[in-house]
Amino acid sequence: MARQGGVVSLVMVLLLGACLPAPAAAGVLLSTLPKALAVTASPKPGQVLHSGVDKVTVTWSLNTTEPAGADAAYKSVQVKLCYAPVSQKDRGWRKSDDDLSKDKACQFKLTQQDYAAGARGSFEYTVARDIPTGSYHVRAYALDASGTQVAYGQTGPATAFDVAGITGIHASIKVAAGVFSAFSVAALAFFFVVENRKKNK
C-alpha cells in the first residue's frame, strides 16, 4: 500500500512538473559578442543636436583587427541610438543590461540595412522629433540570417553628443501665457482697489 502511494506521488510530481512553464531563455549577452565593427558618428563630443532639425552620419565597417572573412555570417546591420551613462543615472527605464533582450539603453532604432562583406556602410539620420533631451552614443549590431546579434561596435561614451529635445511648448504660447498672466494680475489689482473704495464709502 505504501509502495502504491509512492508511485501515485511520483506521478503527481511528474504531472505538476510538466504543467509548469519552462524558464525563460536568456537573450544574447553583449559581453559575449565580439566588438568586430568599427563605428563612427559625425557629431563631435559634447555637440548639441536639435530634434527634428540636425543630422547624424553613422558609418560602420569590419574592424581592421578582425581576420579576413570574419564577417561571413553577417547578413545585416542594425544601428541604434543609446543613452550615454550620464543620461541613465537614476533612470531605471534607461538602464543598460548585458542581456540585450532586457537592455533599455538603446531604445531608438536608426536603421537596419543589408551588410556588404568587406565594405563600409553609411547612413544619414535626421534626429527624430520624439528623441528626448539627453546624451547619446551610437551602437551597431551585426545580425546573422536569423536576425540574432553576432557582433557589435559602438562610439564610446567619451564621444557622446547631446540632443536638445522638443519641449512641445512653442515660443508664441509662452508669450501668450505671459500676457494673460500680466492681465489677470492687473485685473485682480483693479477689482481689489474698487472693492476697497466701496468699503471706505
Side-chain angles (χ1 to χ4, degrees):
M1 192 74 172
R3 184 177 174 187
Q4 200 172 24
V7 170
V8 171
S9 296
L10 180 62
V11 170
M12 292 296 287
V13 167
L14 291 174
L15 286 174
L16 184 61
C19 294
L20 291 174
V28 176
L29 302 181
L30 184 67
S31 60
T32 65
L33 296 180
K35 198 170 181 180
L37 297 179
V39 179
T40 63
S42 57
K44 293 179 175 141
Q47 183 177 345
V48 178
L49 306 180
H50 295 87
S51 296
V53 177
D54 293 320
K55 298 179 186 296
V56 175
T57 301
V58 181
T59 62
W60 59 88
S61 60
L62 185 67
N63 248 326
T64 55
T65 56
E66 296 295 309
D71 54 356
Y74 304 173
K75 299 303 177 188
S76 61
V77 171
Q78 185 181 79
V79 182
K80 291 193 167 189
L81 192 61
C82 309
Y83 287 108
V86 69
S87 287
Q88 294 178 30
K89 189 175 179 183
D90 299 325
R91 293 176 175 95
W93 60 94
R94 296 180 176 180
K95 286 290 185 188
S96 297
D97 195 300
D98 192 38
D99 183 343
L100 295 181
S101 67
K102 298 175 183 176
D103 181 63
K104 297 173 186 173
C106 300
Q107 298 180 16
F108 308 102
K109 180 179 170 183
L110 307 190
T111 188
Q112 184 165 328
Q113 300 183 7
D114 290 340
Y115 180 84
R120 182 176 179 178
S122 170
F123 178 71
E124 185 177 73
Y125 167 75
T126 301
V127 181
R129 295 173 66 84
D130 62 348
I131 299 296
T133 297
S135 290
Y136 295 89
H137 68 278
V138 175
R139 182 181 293 166
Y141 294 108
L143 310 179
D144 65 11
S146 69
T148 302
Q149 301 95 335
V150 290
Y152 81 105
Q154 64 182 11
T155 60
T159 60
F161 55 90
D162 297 328
V163 170
I166 295 173
T167 62
I169 301 174
H170 197 272
S172 59
I173 295 174
K174 290 182 179 178
V175 170
V179 169
F180 283 120
S181 296
F183 175 76
S184 62
V185 169
L188 187 63
F190 172 77
F191 287 117
F192 181 73
V193 169
V194 170
E195 286 297 314
N196 273 346
R197 283 186 179 172
K198 283 182 184 177
K199 285 181 184 176
N200 292 336
K201 284 183 180 179

